[in-house]
Amino acid sequence: QVQLVESGGGSVQAGGSLRLSCVASGYTYGSKYMGWFRQAPGKEREGVACIYTGGGSTYYTDSVKGRFTISHNNGENTVYLQMNSLKPEDTAMYYCAARRGYGGPWYRGDTYNYWGQGTQVTVSS
C-alpha cells in the first residue's frame, strides 16, 4: 500500500504562485507514475501533470504548460507541483495520485491505484 498526503494549497490572487507537495509513504520502492489531478465544483476531474520517477519524463495538460512544473525528490518520496502565473480558472481541489505501471494515458484518473485526500487551491481575480 502507498499513502499519499498533499499540502501547500491556499488562496492567492491571480498571477501568484503556489507549490504543492505530495509525500508518499508505505511501499514506495520502484519507479512509478505520479500525477496531479484537479476537480472544480461542477466539473470533471482533470489530469494536470504527471512525472515518471524512473526516468523523469513529464507530462502536462495544455492549459498549464509553461506555468506549472512537476518535479520529484526520490530521496524524500515527494512530488511537487510548482504553480506560477495562477489564474482564477486554476481554482480547484488538487489531488496527488500514483500508479506503478503504464496502465494507459497519464491523464486518465482511473488508471491510478492510490490517491491523496486533496488540497484546495483558490485563485481570486
Side-chain angles (χ1 to χ4, degrees), residues 17-87:
S17 298
L18 285 172
R19 188 175 82 153
L20 306 183
S21 300
C22 172
V23 179
S25 61
Y27 183 63
T28 58
Y29 296 102
S31 302
K32 50 189 164 297
Y33 290 85
M34 300 291 297
W36 284 98
F37 290 77
R38 65 187 179 188
Q39 188 166 21
K43 294 188 176 182
E44 293 187 354
R45 183 175 58 194
E46 174 189 27
V48 176
C50 176
I51 187 167
Y52 178 59
T53 63
S57 297
T58 57
Y59 311 87
Y60 298 92
T61 192
D62 286 346
S63 63
V64 307
K65 285 180 181 177
R67 300 189 298 123
F68 291 11
T69 303
I70 189 170
S71 61
H72 72 105
N73 183 325
N74 273 345
E76 296 180 352
N77 291 319
T78 303
V79 174
Y80 303 97
L81 185 68
Q82 178 66 43
M83 305 186 296
N84 298 328
S85 302
L86 282 162
K87 303 176 181 180

